[in-house]
Amino acid sequence: MLQDKIADKIAGKVAGRVAEKLEGNAASNPVPGSKSRKYVPQINSKLRHHILKVPDAARNASGILVNGRRIKSLVFTTDIAIIRNCNADAVLAVYPFTPQPTISSSVLRYSSLPVFCGVGGGTTQGIRTLQLAWDAETEGAMGVVVNAPIGNEDVERIANYIDIPLVVTVVNEQTDIAARLNAGASILNVSAAARTPEVVRAIRRDFPDVPIIATGGGTEESIMRTVEAGANAISYTPPTTKELFSGMMEDYRSR
């Protein structure tokens, strides 16, 4: 009788501990089918499980709704291999050469993500920029991007000619933001290197509702600073293919 009572007591304690553990697990990682918003089902490919991931801090941005699709992170690249193996929400396809329809068309054709195409600024101005913006829209771009410097006249012409967002790059606080917006800029793209958070904060003080994409750097901390300054979306520069290969090969050699 005594042994039975001891066994029952031990069984009761064990059952209680198991119940507490299960309850704790359910709170931190809800089971499938629960109404909790914390549970996110994940489906991963056997061959593509090591995709390039944007730092988690970018998910703290509010995002920008473009035709019903929320964009919180944009990968800054024209590399199709990276684009096809990245968890960003969109692509910022801007590069340091004169924009060419062949390049934009290739990225748009093979990208698995919405694309914002660079169409001008710097040495590319006037009617050529207008034609490139039109070509990008007809190819299926989500938006077009113009770099600094570019005149407000060109911004206005493009904005009046296309039916997709026009993203205008801002590199410092000296930019006349009101003039850019009046000319037709839909979104500002702040690219001020290490001073990006300060520039974002300065813009946000005077224009609390303007959509802002901003460079966030390569760390969780730097991206978080940019988000806290007021950026709605983060552009992320990925490692180079060489850097990605280097890490993979080191892993392979160690096996």
Side-chain angles (χ1 to χ4, degrees), residues 41-55:
Q42 296 188 42
I43 308 298
N44 297 311
S45 165
K46 293 180 180 179
L47 299 179
R48 288 186 287 176
H49 59 278
H50 60 288
I51 64 170
L52 179 67
K53 294 183 178 180
V54 176

Side-chain angles (χ1 to χ4, degrees), residues 120-122 124-126 129 146-155 158 168 180:
T124 307
Q125 308 273 343
T129 300
V146 290
N147 281 329
I150 190 169
N152 287 324
E153 298 82 2
D154 282 342
V155 171
I158 296 170
V168 178
R180 290 301 205 202

Side-chain angles (χ1 to χ4, degrees), residues 103-207:
I103 297 174
S104 298
S105 178
S106 298
V107 174
L108 286 163
R109 180 175 181 181
Y110 296 106
S111 174
S112 52
L113 305 170
V115 179
F116 290 79
C117 289
V119 297
T123 58
T124 307
Q125 308 273 343
I127 190 66
R128 182 177 178 85
T129 300
L130 191 65
Q131 291 172 335
L132 289 164
W134 172 253
D135 287 342
E137 180 181 0
T138 58
E139 290 280 352
M142 175 172 271
V144 294
V145 185
V146 290
N147 281 329
I150 190 169
N152 287 324
E153 298 82 2
D154 282 342
V155 171
E156 185 172 6
R157 290 191 192 100
I158 296 170
N160 290 335
Y161 197 62
I162 61 175
D163 190 41
I164 54 177
L166 171 57
V167 182
V168 178
T169 300
V170 175
V171 296
N172 54 46
E173 298 100 320
Q174 283 68 53
T175 304
D176 188 340
I177 301 300
R180 290 301 205 202
L181 297 175
N182 289 334
S186 308
I187 301 170
L188 301 179
N189 173 42
V190 180
S191 181
R195 298 199 64 258
T196 293
E198 286 78 7
V199 176
V200 169
R201 194 173 290 109
I203 295 171
R204 189 58 76 205
R205 278 197 301 266
D206 298 326
F207 303 93

